[in-house]
């Protein structure tokens, strides 16, 4: 990054805009092992599900050097031996990352659920959250099969709601591609190690559906 962009990143400050304080609600992230830029998190309390996405607009000023650079890069490029980030690491991995115990500002979707597991009401809120746990997909899968784990009830409830949402989409004509994901890791001597993961594991399916739900209602809100 050019020094002008890095200087902007170092000078960032969180705004003092009023937000809904959700720091007392148990919140967690689910990502691949080794993830350093966590931009989505989830909460459940009393049958209400929250989907949290980092509010980048709270950190980056429109028309700034950082926004122009992000527009040029369009996204983070993930490579086997590293990544080329869209935003400086101080933003993507620190101030804008939903790391455990860190208070962060998000644009959150609130979902009210009926007894049948159907979404009845939804609304977007600017929130202040505090993630309690950073889970991996493997760890989340283990929790879903362990009724004694403290997060089992919440994760199982969210999975029930996402399963219902997915089945409705498929019934209405949505296409579903359950394909394996491949990760490539460089090794010594110019070789590579390949790991294949099942994309349709319970936790991966859960997170994928939550993102679809969020984007669906974001589209409806903009409409």
């Amino acid at each position: 990054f050019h020094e002008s962009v890095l200087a902007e990143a170092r000078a960032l400050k969180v705004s003092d805009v009023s937000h809904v304080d959700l720091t007392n609600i148990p919140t967690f992230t689910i990502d691949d092992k080794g993830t350093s830029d966590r931009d989505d998190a989830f909460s459940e309390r009393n049958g209400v599900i929250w989907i949290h996405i980092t509010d980048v607009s709270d950190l980056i000023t429109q028309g700034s050097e950082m926004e122009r650079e992000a527009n040029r890069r369009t996204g983070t490029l993930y490579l086997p031996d590293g990544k080329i980030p869209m935003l400086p690491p101080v933003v993507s991995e620190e101030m804008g990352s939903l790391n455990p115990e860190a208070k962060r500002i998000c644009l959150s979707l609130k979902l009210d659920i009926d007894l049948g597991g159907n979404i009845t009401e939804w609304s977007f809120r600017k929130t202040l959250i505090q993630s309690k746990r950073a889970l991996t997909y493997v760890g989340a899968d283990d929790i879903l099969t362990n009724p004694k784990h403290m997060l089992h009830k919440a994760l199982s409830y969210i999975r029930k709601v996402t399963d219902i949402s997915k089945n409705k989409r498929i019934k209405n004509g949505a296409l579903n591609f359950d394909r394996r994901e491949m990760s490539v890791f460089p090794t010594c001597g110019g070789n590579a190690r390949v790991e294949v993961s099942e994309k349709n594991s319970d936790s991966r399916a859960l997170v994928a559906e939550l993102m679809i739900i969020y984007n669906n209602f974001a589209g409806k809100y903009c409409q």
Side-chain angles (χ1 to χ4, degrees), residues 51 109 165-166 169 205-218:
I51 308 173
L109 173 63
S165 173
K166 181 178 179 179
R169 287 194 302 105
L206 179 153
V207 172
E209 191 64 28
L210 286 175
M211 294 300 96
I212 291 172
I213 291 171
Y214 188 100
N215 288 324
N216 176 42
F217 286 118

Side-chain angles (χ1 to χ4, degrees), residues 107-217:
L107 185 60
S108 303
L109 173 63
K110 180 186 178 184
L111 301 173
D112 294 312
I113 315 296
D114 65 17
L115 294 177
N118 302 289
I119 300 170
T120 57
E121 300 288 341
W122 58 274
S123 60
F124 283 96
R125 311 284 181 85
K126 279 186 171 289
T127 61
L128 179 67
I129 73 162
Q130 186 174 28
S131 175
K132 307 303 181 185
R133 296 281 298 274
L135 304 174
T136 63
Y137 287 112
V138 173
D141 283 336
D142 290 340
I143 291 172
L144 285 167
T145 61
N146 181 10
K148 295 182 179 180
H149 196 282
M150 60 182 298
L151 288 178
H152 175 79
K153 184 177 179 180
L155 272 179
S156 297
Y157 178 75
I158 295 175
R159 181 177 61 175
K160 172 186 174 183
V161 173
T162 55
D163 283 348
I164 291 173
S165 173
K166 181 178 179 179
N167 289 335
K168 283 184 176 180
R169 287 194 302 105
I170 293 175
K171 184 178 180 180
N172 289 331
L175 297 178
N176 182 43
F177 298 97
D178 285 329
R179 298 181 299 176
R180 292 180 174 182
E181 290 190 342
M182 181 175 63
S183 299
V184 182
F185 303 92
T187 59
C188 297
N191 297 315
R193 174 171 55 87
V194 179
E195 290 184 2
V196 178
S197 61
E198 293 292 343
K199 188 175 181 181
N200 59 349
S201 75
D202 287 343
S203 63
R204 288 183 183 274
L206 179 153
V207 172
E209 191 64 28
L210 286 175
M211 294 300 96
I212 291 172
I213 291 171
Y214 188 100
N215 288 324
N216 176 42
F217 286 118

Side-chain angles (χ1 to χ4, degrees), residues 87-107:
L87 297 168
V90 69
V91 178
S92 61
E93 299 180 13
E94 296 178 32
M95 294 186 70
S97 184
L98 308 181
N99 299 326
E101 302 305 327
K103 293 184 178 181
R104 295 288 186 259
I105 292 174
C106 290
L107 185 60

Side-chain angles (χ1 to χ4, degrees), residues 19-33:
H19 300 81
V20 179
D21 190 342
L22 300 180
T23 55
N24 64 329
I25 296 180
T27 301
F28 51 91
T29 59
I30 305 177
D31 294 285
D32 285 306
K33 183 179 179 181

